[in-house]
Amino acid sequence: MQRLLSETRPWRHVTRPVVLRKGNAIHTGQDALPAPPSLPTLENASQSDLARTWIEKFKSREIPKSLVEFTYSRSSGPGGQNVNKVNTKATLRCPIDAPWIPLWAREYLKKTPAYTSSSQTILLTSTAHRSQAQNVQDCLAKLHSLIVSAASAGLVNEPSEVQQERVRQLVRAEKARRRQDKDKRKEVKRGRSGGRADWD
């Protein structure tokens, strides 16, 4: 009986993140992610330009496995007979206050289904592949895409030349309308003063 219990007990392996900050990068051994600018919110185009620069750098990098926590369990996905024998399901947990996640992106991340408020972490799973390693990479790719989307959501765009010209036209039209109204009021006043002179 003891042997049977030990064989049916689920096995759980955990890898925990190790993060070191150096200069303008988050270092994890040989891998490095660009350190995001310290911007709680994006309030103008200048701040958005800094954010865009970081996003472009981040897009070209992969999130190292060592920056997040992984647990593994038996998968109910594809894999044939291996499904109930091998821990191929990968579950990723990442604290939302990780130093490599931009401050301005965190409020958007909190609104996603992947956010767990009780632990303040991003939780992602994958059972798409038959191997544990592929599911790990799938989780990391999901996290990467999620952070890019959240970081891009609050960008403030500079108005295009067409939009700027449209605004200028509206301003000119408004000024012209005001001049016309002013001229009409002057004509009315002249008419009234002339009318009183005739009655006198």
Tab-separated table of all heavy atoms in Angstrom, residues 7-62:
chain	number	residue	atom	x	y	z
A	7	GLU	N	3.662	5.972	-5.627
A	7	GLU	CA	3.653	6.006	-7.081
A	7	GLU	C	2.573	6.930	-7.619
A	7	GLU	O	2.717	7.518	-8.680
A	7	GLU	CB	3.445	4.595	-7.625
A	7	GLU	CG	4.659	3.690	-7.420
A	7	GLU	CD	4.401	2.285	-7.923
A	7	GLU	OE1	3.227	2.004	-8.245
A	7	GLU	OE2	5.345	1.489	-7.986
A	8	THR	N	1.461	7.069	-6.886
A	8	THR	CA	0.356	7.890	-7.376
A	8	THR	C	0.446	9.328	-6.899
A	8	THR	O	-0.280	10.184	-7.366
A	8	THR	CB	-0.989	7.305	-6.905
A	8	THR	OG1	-0.986	7.215	-5.477
A	8	THR	CG2	-1.212	5.929	-7.505
A	9	ARG	N	1.336	9.620	-5.953
A	9	ARG	CA	1.456	10.980	-5.445
A	9	ARG	C	2.047	11.885	-6.523
A	9	ARG	O	3.076	11.559	-7.113
A	9	ARG	CB	2.361	10.990	-4.214
A	9	ARG	CG	2.437	12.351	-3.519
A	9	ARG	CD	3.278	12.236	-2.266
A	9	ARG	NE	2.666	11.312	-1.328
A	9	ARG	CZ	3.351	10.480	-0.539
A	9	ARG	NH1	4.668	10.429	-0.614
A	9	ARG	NH2	2.717	9.690	0.301
A	10	PRO	N	1.409	13.037	-6.847
A	10	PRO	CA	1.914	13.914	-7.915
A	10	PRO	C	3.269	14.498	-7.565
A	10	PRO	O	3.531	14.868	-6.430
A	10	PRO	CB	0.840	15.012	-8.006
A	10	PRO	CG	0.164	14.998	-6.677
A	10	PRO	CD	0.204	13.573	-6.209
A	11	TRP	N	4.113	14.584	-8.563
A	11	TRP	CA	5.450	15.139	-8.386
A	11	TRP	C	5.447	16.591	-8.822
A	11	TRP	O	4.885	16.948	-9.845
A	11	TRP	CB	6.438	14.340	-9.219
A	11	TRP	CG	7.851	14.818	-9.108
A	11	TRP	CD1	8.727	14.570	-8.113
A	11	TRP	CD2	8.543	15.629	-10.054
A	11	TRP	NE1	9.934	15.161	-8.366
A	11	TRP	CE2	9.846	15.824	-9.554
A	11	TRP	CE3	8.200	16.214	-11.272
A	11	TRP	CZ2	10.794	16.573	-10.226
A	11	TRP	CZ3	9.142	16.961	-11.941
A	11	TRP	CH2	10.422	17.128	-11.413
A	12	ARG	N	6.065	17.455	-8.062
A	12	ARG	CA	6.045	18.886	-8.354
A	12	ARG	C	7.453	19.439	-8.238
A	12	ARG	O	8.095	19.333	-7.197
A	12	ARG	CB	5.118	19.605	-7.367
A	12	ARG	CG	4.885	21.079	-7.666
A	12	ARG	CD	3.771	21.581	-6.766
A	12	ARG	NE	3.471	22.979	-6.992
A	12	ARG	CZ	3.984	23.968	-6.289
A	12	ARG	NH1	4.838	23.709	-5.322
A	12	ARG	NH2	3.640	25.222	-6.544
A	13	HIS	N	7.928	20.003	-9.335
A	13	HIS	CA	9.267	20.590	-9.352
A	13	HIS	C	9.138	22.096	-9.528
A	13	HIS	O	8.332	22.569	-10.315
A	13	HIS	CB	10.089	20.008	-10.496
A	13	HIS	CG	11.449	20.617	-10.608
A	13	HIS	ND1	12.439	20.404	-9.685
A	13	HIS	CD2	11.959	21.463	-11.539
A	13	HIS	CE1	13.516	21.078	-10.041
A	13	HIS	NE2	13.249	21.731	-11.157
A	14	VAL	N	9.939	22.835	-8.798
A	14	VAL	CA	9.854	24.292	-8.837
A	14	VAL	C	11.213	24.873	-9.186
A	14	VAL	O	12.227	24.475	-8.622
A	14	VAL	CB	9.392	24.862	-7.476
A	14	VAL	CG1	9.311	26.381	-7.543
A	14	VAL	CG2	8.060	24.265	-7.068
A	15	THR	N	11.224	25.811	-10.132
A	15	THR	CA	12.425	26.603	-10.401
A	15	THR	C	12.110	28.044	-10.046
A	15	THR	O	11.096	28.583	-10.463
A	15	THR	CB	12.833	26.526	-11.883
A	15	THR	OG1	11.762	27.008	-12.699
A	15	THR	CG2	13.141	25.101	-12.278
A	16	ARG	N	12.958	28.668	-9.261
A	16	ARG	CA	12.688	30.018	-8.773
A	16	ARG	C	13.591	31.035	-9.469
A	16	ARG	O	14.726	30.734	-9.820
A	16	ARG	CB	12.875	30.083	-7.254
A	16	ARG	CG	11.952	29.121	-6.521
A	16	ARG	CD	11.943	29.365	-5.026
A	16	ARG	NE	11.107	28.405	-4.341
A	16	ARG	CZ	9.785	28.463	-4.276
A	16	ARG	NH1	9.154	29.454	-4.863
A	16	ARG	NH2	9.097	27.545	-3.636
A	17	PRO	N	13.071	32.267	-9.645
A	17	PRO	CA	13.834	33.278	-10.375
A	17	PRO	C	14.999	33.838	-9.580
A	17	PRO	O	14.949	33.943	-8.363
A	17	PRO	CB	12.789	34.370	-10.647
A	17	PRO	CG	11.784	34.208	-9.555
A	17	PRO	CD	11.744	32.735	-9.255
A	18	VAL	N	16.051	34.192	-10.302
A	18	VAL	CA	17.202	34.881	-9.723
A	18	VAL	C	17.443	36.121	-10.568
A	18	VAL	O	17.653	36.028	-11.771
A	18	VAL	CB	18.460	33.992	-9.727
A	18	VAL	CG1	19.645	34.765	-9.174
A	18	VAL	CG2	18.209	32.727	-8.920
A	19	VAL	N	17.402	37.308	-9.946
A	19	VAL	CA	17.494	38.559	-10.695
A	19	VAL	C	18.622	39.414	-10.155
A	19	VAL	O	18.729	39.624	-8.954
A	19	VAL	CB	16.170	39.350	-10.623
A	19	VAL	CG1	16.286	40.643	-11.410
A	19	VAL	CG2	15.018	38.507	-11.131
A	20	LEU	N	19.461	39.913	-11.040
A	20	LEU	CA	20.514	40.854	-10.687
A	20	LEU	C	20.399	42.061	-11.598
A	20	LEU	O	20.235	41.924	-12.803
A	20	LEU	CB	21.902	40.213	-10.855
A	20	LEU	CG	22.218	39.006	-9.968
A	20	LEU	CD1	23.558	38.420	-10.373
A	20	LEU	CD2	22.244	39.409	-8.498
A	21	ARG	N	20.478	43.260	-11.018
A	21	ARG	CA	20.424	44.483	-11.819
A	21	ARG	C	21.822	45.078	-11.912
A	21	ARG	O	22.527	45.203	-10.923
A	21	ARG	CB	19.471	45.503	-11.187
A	21	ARG	CG	19.402	46.819	-11.961
A	21	ARG	CD	18.524	47.820	-11.240
A	21	ARG	NE	17.129	47.505	-11.375
A	21	ARG	CZ	16.370	47.907	-12.383
A	21	ARG	NH1	16.889	48.625	-13.354
A	21	ARG	NH2	15.100	47.593	-12.433
A	22	LYS	N	22.204	45.447	-13.129
A	22	LYS	CA	23.502	46.079	-13.341
A	22	LYS	C	23.359	47.109	-14.445
A	22	LYS	O	23.056	46.770	-15.583
A	22	LYS	CB	24.558	45.038	-13.715
A	22	LYS	CG	25.964	45.629	-13.860
A	22	LYS	CD	26.964	44.537	-14.174
A	22	LYS	CE	28.369	45.112	-14.310
A	22	LYS	NZ	29.359	44.069	-14.646
A	23	GLY	N	23.559	48.375	-14.104
A	23	GLY	CA	23.458	49.432	-15.099
A	23	GLY	C	22.064	49.523	-15.680
A	23	GLY	O	21.076	49.603	-14.960
A	24	ASN	N	21.972	49.501	-17.006
A	24	ASN	CA	20.699	49.636	-17.698
A	24	ASN	C	20.138	48.299	-18.165
A	24	ASN	O	19.357	48.241	-19.104
A	24	ASN	CB	20.858	50.567	-18.905
A	24	ASN	CG	21.164	51.986	-18.473
A	24	ASN	OD1	20.640	52.452	-17.470
A	24	ASN	ND2	22.020	52.657	-19.221
A	25	ALA	N	20.537	47.214	-17.509
A	25	ALA	CA	20.059	45.901	-17.927
A	25	ALA	C	19.777	45.034	-16.716
A	25	ALA	O	20.329	45.231	-15.641
A	25	ALA	CB	21.078	45.222	-18.837
A	26	ILE	N	18.876	44.088	-16.909
A	26	ILE	CA	18.584	43.077	-15.902
A	26	ILE	C	19.379	41.843	-16.289
A	26	ILE	O	19.145	41.239	-17.332
A	26	ILE	CB	17.082	42.748	-15.859
A	26	ILE	CG1	16.261	44.033	-15.693
A	26	ILE	CG2	16.774	41.772	-14.761
A	26	ILE	CD1	16.521	44.770	-14.404
A	27	HIS	N	20.353	41.462	-15.461
A	27	HIS	CA	21.263	40.377	-15.811
A	27	HIS	C	20.854	39.076	-15.137
A	27	HIS	O	20.494	39.057	-13.974
A	27	HIS	CB	22.698	40.724	-15.394
A	27	HIS	CG	23.340	41.708	-16.311
A	27	HIS	ND1	24.216	41.344	-17.297
A	27	HIS	CD2	23.199	43.055	-16.401
A	27	HIS	CE1	24.618	42.421	-17.953
A	27	HIS	NE2	24.018	43.469	-17.426
A	28	THR	N	20.915	38.019	-15.897
A	28	THR	CA	20.701	36.674	-15.365
A	28	THR	C	21.731	35.770	-16.028
A	28	THR	O	21.463	35.141	-17.028
A	28	THR	CB	19.289	36.169	-15.686
A	28	THR	OG1	19.109	36.220	-17.105
A	28	THR	CG2	18.227	37.017	-15.036
A	29	GLY	N	22.909	35.752	-15.480
A	29	GLY	CA	23.962	34.967	-16.104
A	29	GLY	C	24.378	35.603	-17.411
A	29	GLY	O	24.772	36.761	-17.461
A	30	GLN	N	24.244	34.854	-18.519
A	30	GLN	CA	24.646	35.362	-19.823
A	30	GLN	C	23.542	36.172	-20.495
A	30	GLN	O	23.783	36.832	-21.493
A	30	GLN	CB	25.045	34.188	-20.728
A	30	GLN	CG	26.273	33.436	-20.231
A	30	GLN	CD	26.625	32.287	-21.145
A	30	GLN	OE1	25.835	31.885	-21.982
A	30	GLN	NE2	27.817	31.752	-20.977
A	31	ASP	N	22.323	36.108	-19.955
A	31	ASP	CA	21.197	36.795	-20.583
A	31	ASP	C	20.972	38.149	-19.929
A	31	ASP	O	21.279	38.360	-18.770
A	31	ASP	CB	19.922	35.954	-20.453
A	31	ASP	CG	20.073	34.601	-21.122
A	31	ASP	OD1	20.404	34.590	-22.315
A	31	ASP	OD2	19.875	33.585	-20.447
A	32	ALA	N	20.405	39.072	-20.687
A	32	ALA	CA	20.117	40.393	-20.148
A	32	ALA	C	18.892	40.971	-20.834
A	32	ALA	O	18.721	40.828	-22.042
A	32	ALA	CB	21.312	41.322	-20.330
A	33	LEU	N	18.037	41.609	-20.055
A	33	LEU	CA	16.892	42.336	-20.585
A	33	LEU	C	17.123	43.820	-20.344
A	33	LEU	O	17.732	44.200	-19.344
A	33	LEU	CB	15.601	41.899	-19.884
A	33	LEU	CG	15.067	40.504	-20.184
A	33	LEU	CD1	13.827	40.227	-19.351
A	33	LEU	CD2	14.741	40.359	-21.668
A	34	PRO	N	16.633	44.680	-21.235
A	34	PRO	CA	16.797	46.119	-21.017
A	34	PRO	C	15.994	46.575	-19.806
A	34	PRO	O	14.852	46.159	-19.615
A	34	PRO	CB	16.250	46.729	-22.313
A	34	PRO	CG	15.296	45.705	-22.843
A	34	PRO	CD	15.884	44.376	-22.470
A	35	ALA	N	16.595	47.408	-18.981
A	35	ALA	CA	15.893	47.946	-17.816
A	35	ALA	C	14.922	49.023	-18.287
A	35	ALA	O	15.318	49.945	-19.005
A	35	ALA	CB	16.881	48.527	-16.820
A	36	PRO	N	13.652	48.934	-17.920
A	36	PRO	CA	12.678	49.931	-18.379
A	36	PRO	C	12.890	51.275	-17.699
A	36	PRO	O	13.361	51.334	-16.561
A	36	PRO	CB	11.334	49.317	-17.975
A	36	PRO	CG	11.655	48.432	-16.823
A	36	PRO	CD	13.032	47.896	-17.081
A	37	PRO	N	12.541	52.383	-18.379
A	37	PRO	CA	12.618	53.696	-17.734
A	37	PRO	C	11.628	53.787	-16.581
A	37	PRO	O	10.570	53.158	-16.609
A	37	PRO	CB	12.259	54.670	-18.862
A	37	PRO	CG	11.522	53.850	-19.866
A	37	PRO	CD	12.075	52.465	-19.769
A	38	SER	N	11.978	54.567	-15.575
A	38	SER	CA	11.132	54.690	-14.377
A	38	SER	C	9.997	55.675	-14.636
A	38	SER	O	10.049	56.841	-14.229
A	38	SER	CB	11.974	55.140	-13.178
A	38	SER	OG	12.975	54.192	-12.900
A	39	LEU	N	8.971	55.197	-15.317
A	39	LEU	CA	7.817	56.026	-15.667
A	39	LEU	C	6.552	55.354	-15.149
A	39	LEU	O	6.096	54.365	-15.723
A	39	LEU	CB	7.725	56.204	-17.184
A	39	LEU	CG	8.910	56.884	-17.877
A	39	LEU	CD1	8.753	56.795	-19.386
A	39	LEU	CD2	9.014	58.336	-17.436
A	40	PRO	N	5.964	55.870	-14.067
A	40	PRO	CA	4.725	55.267	-13.545
A	40	PRO	C	3.582	55.317	-14.549
A	40	PRO	O	2.779	54.393	-14.645
A	40	PRO	CB	4.412	56.113	-12.306
A	40	PRO	CG	5.711	56.738	-11.931
A	40	PRO	CD	6.439	56.962	-13.219
A	41	THR	N	3.513	56.417	-15.313
A	41	THR	CA	2.493	56.575	-16.348
A	41	THR	C	3.122	57.255	-17.558
A	41	THR	O	4.201	57.843	-17.463
A	41	THR	CB	1.310	57.439	-15.856
A	41	THR	OG1	1.806	58.726	-15.445
A	41	THR	CG2	0.593	56.774	-14.691
A	42	LEU	N	2.423	57.173	-18.682
A	42	LEU	CA	2.867	57.851	-19.907
A	42	LEU	C	1.914	59.010	-20.157
A	42	LEU	O	0.790	58.817	-20.605
A	42	LEU	CB	2.859	56.873	-21.081
A	42	LEU	CG	3.718	55.616	-20.907
A	42	LEU	CD1	3.603	54.724	-22.135
A	42	LEU	CD2	5.171	55.972	-20.633
A	43	GLU	N	2.384	60.217	-19.850
A	43	GLU	CA	1.502	61.379	-19.898
A	43	GLU	C	1.709	62.251	-21.126
A	43	GLU	O	0.896	63.129	-21.396
A	43	GLU	CB	1.695	62.218	-18.629
A	43	GLU	CG	1.343	61.455	-17.353
A	43	GLU	CD	1.551	62.281	-16.101
A	43	GLU	OE1	2.080	63.408	-16.233
A	43	GLU	OE2	1.183	61.812	-15.012
A	44	ASN	N	2.788	62.045	-21.849
A	44	ASN	CA	3.023	62.877	-23.024
A	44	ASN	C	3.833	62.096	-24.054
A	44	ASN	O	4.277	60.968	-23.810
A	44	ASN	CB	3.748	64.175	-22.637
A	44	ASN	CG	5.011	63.905	-21.832
A	44	ASN	OD1	5.869	63.136	-22.254
A	44	ASN	ND2	5.122	64.535	-20.668
A	45	ALA	N	4.016	62.721	-25.210
A	45	ALA	CA	4.705	62.057	-26.317
A	45	ALA	C	6.169	61.794	-26.001
A	45	ALA	O	6.739	60.795	-26.446
A	45	ALA	CB	4.583	62.906	-27.580
A	46	SER	N	6.795	62.680	-25.226
A	46	SER	CA	8.205	62.493	-24.883
A	46	SER	C	8.407	61.231	-24.046
A	46	SER	O	9.323	60.438	-24.296
A	46	SER	CB	8.714	63.722	-24.126
A	46	SER	OG	10.050	63.541	-23.727
A	47	GLN	N	7.545	61.039	-23.058
A	47	GLN	CA	7.628	59.828	-22.240
A	47	GLN	C	7.306	58.591	-23.072
A	47	GLN	O	7.906	57.528	-22.880
A	47	GLN	CB	6.677	59.948	-21.051
A	47	GLN	CG	7.094	61.001	-20.040
A	47	GLN	CD	6.091	61.146	-18.910
A	47	GLN	OE1	4.928	60.755	-19.032
A	47	GLN	NE2	6.526	61.720	-17.803
A	48	SER	N	6.373	58.729	-23.996
A	48	SER	CA	6.024	57.603	-24.862
A	48	SER	C	7.186	57.216	-25.765
A	48	SER	O	7.361	56.040	-26.094
A	48	SER	CB	4.793	57.943	-25.702
A	48	SER	OG	3.639	58.013	-24.892
A	49	ASP	N	7.985	58.202	-26.177
A	49	ASP	CA	9.163	57.896	-26.998
A	49	ASP	C	10.158	57.038	-26.214
A	49	ASP	O	10.755	56.102	-26.761
A	49	ASP	CB	9.839	59.189	-27.458
A	49	ASP	CG	9.050	59.890	-28.548
A	49	ASP	OD1	8.196	59.233	-29.175
A	49	ASP	OD2	9.274	61.095	-28.765
A	50	LEU	N	10.342	57.363	-24.933
A	50	LEU	CA	11.224	56.547	-24.092
A	50	LEU	C	10.670	55.128	-23.965
A	50	LEU	O	11.421	54.144	-24.014
A	50	LEU	CB	11.357	57.180	-22.707
A	50	LEU	CG	12.111	58.511	-22.623
A	50	LEU	CD1	12.041	59.067	-21.205
A	50	LEU	CD2	13.565	58.327	-23.041
A	51	ALA	N	9.353	55.045	-23.797
A	51	ALA	CA	8.719	53.731	-23.676
A	51	ALA	C	8.863	52.932	-24.967
A	51	ALA	O	9.138	51.725	-24.937
A	51	ALA	CB	7.245	53.902	-23.321
A	52	ARG	N	8.690	53.589	-26.108
A	52	ARG	CA	8.825	52.897	-27.398
A	52	ARG	C	10.235	52.348	-27.592
A	52	ARG	O	10.421	51.243	-28.115
A	52	ARG	CB	8.483	53.850	-28.546
A	52	ARG	CG	7.003	54.103	-28.734
A	52	ARG	CD	6.739	54.835	-30.039
A	52	ARG	NE	5.332	55.183	-30.155
A	52	ARG	CZ	4.803	56.313	-29.720
A	52	ARG	NH1	5.578	57.228	-29.146
A	52	ARG	NH2	3.518	56.554	-29.852
A	53	THR	N	11.223	53.137	-27.183
A	53	THR	CA	12.611	52.681	-27.298
A	53	THR	C	12.823	51.407	-26.494
A	53	THR	O	13.449	50.449	-26.962
A	53	THR	CB	13.576	53.776	-26.810
A	53	THR	OG1	13.397	54.950	-27.603
A	53	THR	CG2	15.022	53.314	-26.916
A	54	TRP	N	12.274	51.398	-25.273
A	54	TRP	CA	12.405	50.196	-24.441
A	54	TRP	C	11.669	49.021	-25.067
A	54	TRP	O	12.178	47.894	-25.100
A	54	TRP	CB	11.856	50.458	-23.036
A	54	TRP	CG	11.938	49.234	-22.183
A	54	TRP	CD1	13.000	48.822	-21.431
A	54	TRP	CD2	10.932	48.219	-22.029
A	54	TRP	NE1	12.719	47.624	-20.817
A	54	TRP	CE2	11.454	47.236	-21.169
A	54	TRP	CE3	9.646	48.066	-22.536
A	54	TRP	CZ2	10.732	46.105	-20.802
A	54	TRP	CZ3	8.921	46.933	-22.175
A	54	TRP	CH2	9.463	45.971	-21.316
A	55	ILE	N	10.462	49.260	-25.583
A	55	ILE	CA	9.661	48.183	-26.175
A	55	ILE	C	10.396	47.546	-27.350
A	55	ILE	O	10.419	46.319	-27.493
A	55	ILE	CB	8.280	48.717	-26.616
A	55	ILE	CG1	7.439	49.077	-25.383
A	55	ILE	CG2	7.543	47.683	-27.465
A	55	ILE	CD1	6.163	49.828	-25.715
A	56	GLU	N	11.009	48.374	-28.197
A	56	GLU	CA	11.730	47.839	-29.350
A	56	GLU	C	12.915	46.986	-28.909
A	56	GLU	O	13.198	45.943	-29.505
A	56	GLU	CB	12.200	48.983	-30.254
A	56	GLU	CG	11.069	49.684	-30.993
A	56	GLU	CD	10.216	48.715	-31.792
A	56	GLU	OE1	10.795	47.871	-32.519
A	56	GLU	OE2	8.975	48.776	-31.677
A	57	LYS	N	13.613	47.426	-27.864
A	57	LYS	CA	14.724	46.622	-27.344
A	57	LYS	C	14.207	45.317	-26.747
A	57	LYS	O	14.786	44.246	-26.955
A	57	LYS	CB	15.495	47.411	-26.279
A	57	LYS	CG	16.285	48.587	-26.818
A	57	LYS	CD	17.004	49.300	-25.687
A	57	LYS	CE	17.797	50.490	-26.194
A	57	LYS	NZ	18.465	51.207	-25.073
A	58	PHE	N	13.107	45.412	-26.013
A	58	PHE	CA	12.542	44.232	-25.353
A	58	PHE	C	12.048	43.212	-26.377
A	58	PHE	O	12.176	42.001	-26.175
A	58	PHE	CB	11.397	44.662	-24.434
A	58	PHE	CG	10.794	43.540	-23.643
A	58	PHE	CD1	11.429	43.055	-22.511
A	58	PHE	CD2	9.590	42.969	-24.026
A	58	PHE	CE1	10.874	42.012	-21.778
A	58	PHE	CE2	9.027	41.935	-23.299
A	58	PHE	CZ	9.672	41.454	-22.170
A	59	LYS	N	11.483	43.692	-27.484
A	59	LYS	CA	10.974	42.790	-28.518
A	59	LYS	C	12.067	41.893	-29.081
A	59	LYS	O	11.799	40.760	-29.493
A	59	LYS	CB	10.345	43.601	-29.661
A	59	LYS	CG	8.967	44.155	-29.366
A	59	LYS	CD	8.449	44.913	-30.574
A	59	LYS	CE	7.045	45.448	-30.346
A	59	LYS	NZ	6.559	46.206	-31.525
A	60	SER	N	13.286	42.404	-29.123
A	60	SER	CA	14.387	41.644	-29.724
A	60	SER	C	15.028	40.659	-28.745
A	60	SER	O	15.952	39.941	-29.112
A	60	SER	CB	15.456	42.604	-30.251
A	60	SER	OG	16.049	43.326	-29.185
A	61	ARG	N	14.562	40.651	-27.506
A	61	ARG	CA	15.132	39.755	-26.497
A	61	ARG	C	14.116	38.679	-26.112
A	61	ARG	O	12.912	38.858	-26.259
A	61	ARG	CB	15.514	40.538	-25.237
A	61	ARG	CG	16.345	41.776	-25.489
A	61	ARG	CD	17.753	41.461	-25.943
A	61	ARG	NE	18.498	42.673	-26.234
A	61	ARG	CZ	19.129	43.403	-25.323
A	61	ARG	NH1	19.107	43.034	-24.047
A	61	ARG	NH2	19.778	44.495	-25.671
A	62	GLU	N	14.632	37.596	-25.587
A	62	GLU	CA	13.787	36.554	-25.022
A	62	GLU	C	13.864	36.623	-23.504
A	62	GLU	O	14.913	36.940	-22.941
A	62	GLU	CB	14.239	35.173	-25.507
A	62	GLU	CG	14.040	34.952	-26.994
A	62	GLU	CD	14.442	33.546	-27.414
A	62	GLU	OE1	14.935	32.786	-26.547
A	62	GLU	OE2	14.267	33.210	-28.593
